[in-house]
Structures are given as structure tokens and as C-alpha cells.
Amino acid sequence: MLGTMTAGAKSWIYLFEWAYSGVNFSLAGNGGSECVDFLPMGQRIAESILASVFSILCIIFALCKITLPAKIPSVERSDFCGKRILLVVMCLTFGIELGFKFATRQFIYIMNPCHITTMVQIYLLAAPPSKFLTALFRLHLHMLSGAPIAILFPVINTRLLPFETEVYYLQHLLMMVIPFYLIKIGGVYTAEPLWDLSWSILSIGCLYLYHFMPMQYLAVLTRVNLNNMLCPAVSDPFYGPYYRLFAIVHQMLALPVLGKIIVFISQTAGIKPDNHVNEIQAFKGSNQTQKEDKPAHESRGGSFIGEADKSLQFIGKDDRLLNGVRERKITREELSKASLENEENGNIPNEKESVMETMCNINNGHLKGM
């Protein structure tokens, strides 16, 4: 394998050899030349192109459909110290896992999706509220299929240090507990509607693209079987030359189904707070957000003062006129008379008459609705 690499690739491989030199290629499914040659290179390239094109299409489609709350929701239920406890426990667990990876010189396995999802959950527990946090939370809900798969079909034949297997199970159990607790808190940790599949499709696109592009390339270079991209795991029920195609299909079903199961259980068990979040499309600009956020009474009369004050800068600094508009007592005739007087004094250009007319229409419309 090294003989076919460029000089630049070889230098990077030797530079980061400390991160994977402890991987035991004699163990089945761990990597090595036999694992790299499990699939013909032509099949590997064809599957990668197919998966990458499919991923890009999924991402493009989903970005046009995903929604976010119009406003950052307030926390519906008091948290006390639950988030902090989960943050500390997850950080300790993940820290011990990283220690095992350094000790065994297998740090490259940090690239596996479960570790990436763990880092995302640590950020979710620690970061301040924002719309980005809501987007990341919804995205990660559909990236959790690896946790139950790791528990049901564990690959622990490479974990030889004391408590390494126990940390493996604890990490994946925490990955399943944290989403339920965050949904219970509510606020920015709000899932999309149950019928909305746009976030599921976006997660599928991101995960597939990550697997078949950077992860697979790194796996081939190092001969380490990262997340079974080179050869199937010993416990894979679809073991065979087409195991990756089976994985594309069953993960396309498992990712959204598991995410929706989490939301459904949260709703039926009363975990999810009923906060009636107003959803808008994420990439449609701020005008729609302001329009949908504004209550009906504000859209008619509440914004009158701001529009009137803005228009009066063209009319002049007439305190009587300004106070009349603010008190909603000025009439169309009084406004026209004042504008003509100001125009004769040179205070208002002719082209600003339409502004006065518009302002007067707003005023009269508000008076009719009161």
C-alpha cells in the first residue's frame, strides 16, 4: 500500500504513526492488508461515488426544507444540576476513553462517528442557548444509530485493558440517555415535528459523505478499519462483499427511525414539554421571521408609532404634529394643512408628499380598527 502513495501522503502517514501504530492487525476486523483487499478497488470506488452523489443530493434537498424555531424558546422546566452532572460524567467517561486510545496508540479510532457524536453531546451540554445549538441538537438526534448497534453487536475483541470494555458500554449508554434528558429540559433542545423528515435526510447526507470521503481515505492510507469501511466487523449480520450496500440501506432506515422513536417516546411518556414552537424555514431570511414572530395586534397598530416617527423626519420637527400622531388624534385634513405650511416654508420637498399620505392612511386605518 505504501508503495502506491505519493511522497506527501507517506510523510503524513509517518508523522501520525503514533496514532495508529498500536492497532493489532492480527485481530479479525481490525485492519491490515487482508482487510484492505476485502473489496476490489473498482467496487470500492464505485460505491464511494454512488454514496457521495447520494449524500450531496440529500444535503441540498434538506437545506431547502429544514426549519428552526422563529425565536429561541425559553427553558420550560427547571434543570437544577442534571445537565452539569451529565456533562461531568460524559467528560470523565470520554476522557478515560481517550486515555485508553493514547495508552494503546490507537488514537485514530477517535474518528469513529460515535466519538464524534459524543463530542457533539458534550458541546450541547456546555454551550449557551442559540439557534445553532438547536440545529446541532436536531442534527445529532438522527446520528445516534451507532449507539444501539454498538450495544447490540459489540466489537470488544480489541479492548484488552482493565475496564476498557465497561467504559465502552457506559459511553454508548450515555449517548442514549442524554437526548432524552435534553428534550425534557426543552428550550433550545427542541426536536422538529414528528412528521418532518428534513433533519433526518440532512443527517443521512452528512454521515454518508463523512464515511465515504475523509474516513474511508484515512482508513485506506493507514490500513485501519475505521467504522468497518475496509471490511465488515466479525459480528456484522450482513457479512459479505456487499455489506456496505446493505449498510447504506439499513442506515437510511435506522437513522430517521431511531431519531423519531426518541421524539415519540418523549411525547408519549410526557418527557417533552409542550411549548408550541413556531417553526420557520432556516434559510429564508429575516423578513419572514419578523413577519411570523409579530403578533396580530402589533402588525396593525403596534408598529404605527415607529412608522409615523420615521415618516415625520421628512415633514419637519413640528412638536404638535408629532404629539398628535403619537396620541392617534390627528386627522387627514390637519396633516395636509400642516404639510402645506411646512412646504411653503421650504421644510418639505414635493417628492415627500406620498410619505405623508401613507402615514395618514396608516393612522386612519388604525383608528378604524380601534
Side-chain angles (χ1 to χ4, degrees):
M1 176 63 64
L2 290 176
T4 61
M5 293 182 189
T6 63
K10 288 181 181 180
S11 64
W12 281 104
I13 289 298
Y14 290 132
L15 180 63
F16 292 100
E17 190 176 3
W18 59 270
Y20 66 92
S21 58
V23 179
N24 187 359
F25 293 148
S26 64
L27 296 176
N30 231 21
S33 300
E34 184 178 351
C35 189
V36 175
D37 297 334
F38 185 84
L39 295 178
M41 186 57 66
Q43 178 183 345
R44 193 179 297 278
I45 293 174
E47 290 177 354
S48 301
I49 293 175
L50 176 65
S52 299
V53 171
F54 177 72
S55 302
I56 294 173
L57 293 176
C58 286
I59 293 173
I60 294 174
F61 174 81
L63 288 177
C64 299
K65 301 292 183 181
I66 59 174
T67 61
L68 283 172
K71 288 185 177 180
I72 299 177
S74 59
V75 176
E76 295 288 335
R77 301 184 182 183
S78 56
D79 173 41
F80 297 108
C81 58
K83 253 176 65 174
R84 294 181 179 87
I85 292 175
L86 282 176
L87 178 61
V88 170
V89 174
M90 181 56 105
C91 286
L92 285 175
T93 303
F94 190 56
I96 295 172
E97 179 68 16
L98 293 181
F100 286 141
K101 293 292 183 283
F102 277 116
T104 57
R105 292 176 297 171
Q106 299 177 15
F107 191 75
I108 192 172
Y109 284 121
I110 202 67
M111 300 294 294
N112 278 345
C114 284
H115 294 312
I116 301 295
T117 305
T118 297
M119 289 186 279
V120 169
Q121 290 186 335
I122 290 174
Y123 178 81
L124 291 173
L125 290 167
S130 65
K131 284 192 176 182
F132 174 74
L133 202 67
T134 301
L136 193 62
F137 175 73
R138 293 183 175 186
L139 191 66
H140 114 285
L141 279 180
H142 306 284
M143 294 182 173
L144 296 172
S145 64
I149 290 176
I151 295 173
L152 296 174
F153 305 99
V155 182
I156 53 178
N157 60 327
T158 61
R159 294 180 172 263
L160 306 176
L161 295 179
F163 301 108
E164 196 172 4
T165 300
E166 288 77 6
V167 170
Y168 169 89
Y169 282 110
L170 178 59
Q171 178 185 351
H172 290 94
L173 284 173
L174 284 171
M175 288 175 61
M176 297 302 300
V177 170
I178 287 174
F180 285 104
Y181 187 81
L182 293 181
I183 292 177
K184 172 183 175 294
I185 295 175
V188 291
Y189 308 112
T190 305
E192 73 278 9
L194 195 61
W195 46 264
D196 185 4
L197 295 177
S198 57
W199 286 99
S200 304
I201 296 173
L202 182 60
S203 300
I204 290 171
C206 292
L207 279 178
Y208 284 8
L209 196 63
Y210 174 71
H211 275 78
F212 283 90
M213 294 298 289
M215 178 181 283
Q216 179 177 221
Y217 182 70
L218 186 60
V220 172
L221 288 181
T222 60
R223 300 187 300 166
V224 177
N225 191 24
L226 292 174
N227 209 39
N228 305 310
M229 289 305 296
L230 298 181
C231 59
V234 292
S235 57
D236 193 337
F238 300 100
Y239 192 98
Y242 302 106
Y243 79 99
R244 300 205 309 181
L245 295 179
F246 281 111
I248 291 175
V249 175
H250 68 63
Q251 286 304 298
M252 190 162 50
L253 300 175
L255 288 169
V257 167
L258 182 62
K260 296 305 180 182
I261 286 177
I262 293 175
V263 178
F264 179 75
I265 292 176
S266 301
Q267 290 178 343
T268 55
I271 298 174
K272 179 180 178 181
D274 186 15
N275 46 16
H276 301 291
V277 177
N278 182 27
E279 298 278 331
I280 62 167
Q281 288 194 5
F283 296 101
K284 270 210 167 183
S286 59
N287 291 336
Q288 180 183 0
T289 303
Q290 296 173 357
K291 182 178 179 181
E292 296 193 20
D293 284 348
K294 191 179 297 183
H297 67 278
E298 288 187 9
S299 63
R300 183 182 61 185
S303 61
F304 167 75
I305 296 299
E307 294 187 45
D309 286 348
K310 184 176 179 182
S311 300
L312 282 172
Q313 66 181 337
F314 302 111
I315 298 176
K317 302 295 184 179
D318 191 329
D319 293 336
R320 179 187 59 81
L321 193 61
L322 179 59
N323 292 332
V325 171
R326 284 178 171 164
E327 294 173 4
R328 298 177 175 89
K329 296 178 181 179
I330 191 168
T331 64
R332 179 186 297 271
E333 291 76 20
E334 189 176 1
L335 180 62
S336 300
K337 181 179 178 182
S339 65
L340 289 174
E341 292 176 355
N342 286 334
E343 183 180 351
E344 290 175 357
N345 295 330
N347 294 333
I348 304 178
N350 293 332
E351 60 267 24
K352 301 306 179 184
E353 292 178 0
S354 59
V355 177
M356 296 187 300
E357 186 70 14
T358 302
M359 186 184 67
C360 193
N361 289 337
I362 295 173
N363 190 21
N364 291 337
H366 176 76
L367 292 172
K368 289 178 182 179
M370 290 182 65

